Amino acid sequence: MPPRYENSGKESRSVMKEITYILNGETITTHVDPRWSLFELLRGEVSSIKRGCDVGECGACTVLIDGKTYNSCIYLAVWANGKHIRTVESLSMPDGSPGELQKAFMDDGAVQCGFCTPGFLLSATALIEEDRTFTREEIRRQLSGNLCRCTGYENIINAVEKTINKHIDNRGTK
Amino acid sequence: MFDISNLFEATSVEDAISLLETHEQARVIAGGSDILIKLREGELSGCDLVSIFGLDELRGITLGADGTITIRPLSSFSLIEKDENIRNLQALSEAAAQVGGPQIRNIATIGGNICNGAVSADSAPALLTYDAVLELKSSNGVRIVPIHDFYTGPGKVDLGRAELLVGIHIKRQSYEGFGGCYIKYSARRAMDISMLGCAVNLKLSADKKYVEKLCLAYGVAAPTPIRARTAEKEAEGALFNEELLEKVSKLAQEDAMPRTSWRASKEFRLHLLGELCRRAMRTAAKRAGLS
């Protein structure tokens, strides 16, 4: 069961709602409490997303929904119905080894405590999947919804820039 | 979990209106980036919500045959920022681009932004400069309200309890041939609320030397988002130069009623009012083809 907050103590009648969604390629049908955030729903399924601020400011809880980034802490669980949701678990290779972007983060010192990392990986994935180049300034802007208290951001941007450029180069040589 | 008593997911606009009428305490939730954060902070505890998030009929931007641009209220800011039709409405696309951060722009809706009545709403000054007209629906039918009449007081808008915003319309004559600019002044370059927002929508004469029309609007400069009417009148027919910018920005300061709050002092806001006006006008004029 996902973790629950204490509510105000008022008598709350809550009817569980059935939803069906796709998580990292797997179809899941389940009942959700309409008071749950998507974060609470997904923590019962995957461990990569982290609870940071809970108010949509730090981006630690970032998920990809139909290819776009969202803060799962301020997204209602019931809204997941019919959506394709991806977390960091979807970035690994089939054999479980780290994907390109994750390797770049490791190689470039973009990970210290690692708490912000899942959020950054997904925001960066959204950029890579746009299939075009970005200036460093544009990368900064696109990652501005993710906060890091350890690295000072430079290495994160290096890793993302490197991966985007590699992706574009590889595409060109196909 | 959020301290919500009941969540009703509307299946259509009519259903949403009916739910709002039946459940008198209920409020509308669109993208949730205002309401869910308020709930986290202890406000609105135990509320009933009518979710319109699933109503795709309220999403999208279309261009009518007569050149009217219609923005459906659940359009996210990232949708608005990137839309082809909005590209020419620079004050609005720039405003959309500066809301929060990428994740917020994907979920936050322009409808929620104006309906919750916040004076700091980034979309408000821009919509004021485009003389946007709002389409409101209730069981009594449809009301058409110009955005100038929508804001009735600090945090208050002319929206009935069981009424929904269903469309934002911008007429061709409000944008064709105009150049626009929105400057959001805030402490941070992202993920911040506007301390002062200045929108300019400007049209030049055929020889691109004189101002044909100036629309100048501010957020957080007064109890509601406002147009600086006296400043605008000064610019009409005037030669576009630094001298005009000085005159206009001075009048804009007088049009607004900034006050001291924890965010900024009255003196600083007055300074910003003048400076942002000049910068936004310079950019808008360039975009309007200043020679």
Side-chain angles (χ1 to χ4, degrees):
Chain A
M1 278 291 258
R4 289 170 167 230
Y5 295 103
E6 293 305 309
N7 62 19
S8 68
K10 283 172 76 169
E11 198 54 50
S12 299
R13 297 153 308 188
S14 206
V15 179
M16 299 295 270
K17 300 197 179 199
E18 185 183 279
I19 63 164
T20 298
Y21 66 107
I22 299 172
L23 177 61
N24 298 325
E26 186 197 333
T27 303
I28 300 175
T29 298
T30 187
H31 284 86
V32 303
D33 188 318
R35 297 169 296 180
W36 290 350
S37 65
L38 179 62
F39 172 83
E40 290 174 273
L41 172 65
L42 294 179
R43 276 297 291 191
E45 303 284 346
V46 292
S47 59
S48 64
I49 54 168
K50 307 293 184 236
R51 177 186 297 156
C53 67
D54 248 356
V55 285
E57 288 204 23
C58 74
C61 69
T62 301
V63 293
L64 285 168
I65 304 178
D66 294 342
K68 295 196 173 74
T69 54
Y70 294 86
N71 295 313
S72 59
C73 66
I74 51 168
Y75 192 97
L76 290 178
V78 294
W79 291 343
N81 192 41
K83 309 279 197 301
H84 285 248
I85 299 178
R86 275 186 294 157
T87 61
V88 162
E89 282 77 359
S90 70
L91 300 183
S92 327
M93 306 308 295
D95 65 0
S97 59
E100 276 301 328
L101 180 64
Q102 289 160 305
K103 269 207 242 100
F105 267 57
M106 292 190 295
D107 293 343
D108 289 0
V111 183
Q112 287 187 29
C113 81
F115 203 77
C116 72
T117 306
F120 269 104
L121 287 171
L122 294 173
S123 288
T125 300
L127 289 189
I128 293 163
E129 290 180 356
E130 277 197 45
D131 236 8
R132 62 176 179 94
T133 54
F134 289 81
T135 63
R136 268 182 98 82
E137 199 49 47
E138 284 173 317
I139 293 172
R140 279 183 184 278
R141 181 174 180 265
Q142 292 301 107
L143 299 180
S144 63
N146 293 81
L147 301 181
C148 173
R149 298 291 280 141
C150 298
T151 65
Y153 301 101
E154 280 307 301
N155 288 346
I156 293 174
I157 295 161
N158 292 344
V160 173
E161 191 179 35
K162 184 170 85 176
T163 311
I164 289 174
N165 292 338
K166 210 172 189 180
H167 172 82
I168 299 296
D169 284 342
N170 287 345
R171 199 193 52 187
T173 58
K174 280 210 172 80
Chain B
M1 110 166 82
F2 294 104
D3 191 356
I4 299 167
S5 287
N6 291 290
L7 178 74
F8 306 106
E9 288 187 274
T11 52
S12 68
V13 170
E14 288 68 33
D15 185 37
I17 291 168
S18 160
L19 285 164
L20 287 166
E21 288 187 319
T22 310
H23 303 280
E24 287 182 14
Q25 306 300 322
R27 343 163 47 99
V28 172
I29 179 171
S33 51
D34 280 321
I35 291 205
L36 295 180
I37 292 174
K38 282 197 166 89
L39 280 165
R40 288 272 189 244
E41 293 171 345
E43 284 181 60
L44 307 178
S45 294
C47 63
D48 284 346
L49 298 177
V50 172
S51 169
I52 59 172
F53 185 67
L55 301 183
D56 285 333
E57 73 217 64
L58 291 181
R59 279 191 177 85
I61 299 163
T62 50
L63 177 66
D66 62 353
T68 300
I69 291 175
T70 295
I71 305 169
R72 295 295 167 199
L74 289 185
S75 301
S76 69
F77 283 111
S78 48
L79 187 78
I80 293 169
E81 180 194 354
K82 296 176 185 145
D83 189 82
E84 272 310 309
N85 294 307
I86 307 294
R87 218 150 270 256
N88 296 324
L89 281 59
Q90 295 102 347
L92 184 55
S93 61
E94 279 190 318
Q98 293 180 76
V99 170
Q103 292 92 324
I104 295 293
R105 287 192 285 275
N106 283 335
I107 193 77
T109 65
I110 190 168
N113 195 227
I114 59 172
C115 287
N116 82 3
V119 74
S120 54
D122 285 309
S123 62
L127 290 175
L128 283 171
T129 62
Y130 291 112
D131 293 318
V133 166
L134 309 178
E135 189 183 343
L136 309 172
K137 197 168 185 186
S138 70
S139 55
N140 294 328
V142 170
R143 284 199 301 144
I144 302 292
V145 178
I147 190 154
H148 307 298
D149 301 331
F150 191 60
Y151 288 95
T152 57
K156 290 192 163 61
V157 293
D158 180 16
L159 184 70
R161 208 194 51 74
E163 196 167 34
L164 277 189
L165 172 67
V166 295
I168 300 167
H169 306 285
I170 297 173
K171 292 193 164 67
R172 171 185 259 154
Q173 58 260 39
S174 298
Y175 68 85
E176 200 169 52
F178 282 76
C181 177
Y182 177 72
I183 301 179
K184 172 178 182 161
Y185 189 88
S186 57
R188 295 186 285 264
R189 292 174 62 199
M191 296 303 294
D192 208 346
I193 289 176
S194 161
M195 188 197 293
L196 195 83
C198 177
V200 167
N201 188 28
L202 185 151
K203 192 170 189 185
L204 298 170
S205 56
D207 63 1
K208 302 298 178 188
K209 292 196 171 125
Y210 295 81
V211 173
E212 190 178 301
K213 184 161 193 213
L214 169 67
C215 302
L216 169 65
Y218 289 99
V220 203
T224 66
I226 54 154
R227 286 271 293 268
R229 302 280 184 186
T230 328
E232 292 177 352
K233 229 183 155 85
E234 179 69 24
E236 236 169 84
L239 186 65
F240 190 93
N241 55 23
E242 285 299 312
E243 204 186 306
L244 176 66
L245 295 185
E246 277 305 315
K247 283 204 206 111
V248 169
S249 55
K250 237 198 168 72
L251 287 168
Q253 289 172 323
E254 289 163 29
D255 276 331
M257 288 181 276
R259 63 221 207 90
T260 296
S261 80
W262 67 269
R263 233 184 214 114
S265 70
K266 175 177 171 170
E267 290 72 23
F268 185 42
R269 288 178 202 265
L270 281 170
H271 170 72
L272 286 177
L273 274 159
E275 183 58 32
L276 294 189
C277 167
R278 292 187 289 272
R279 292 188 191 190
M281 281 182 70
R282 281 184 206 114
T283 304
K286 252 191 233 122
R287 289 174 177 164
L290 183 72
S291 64

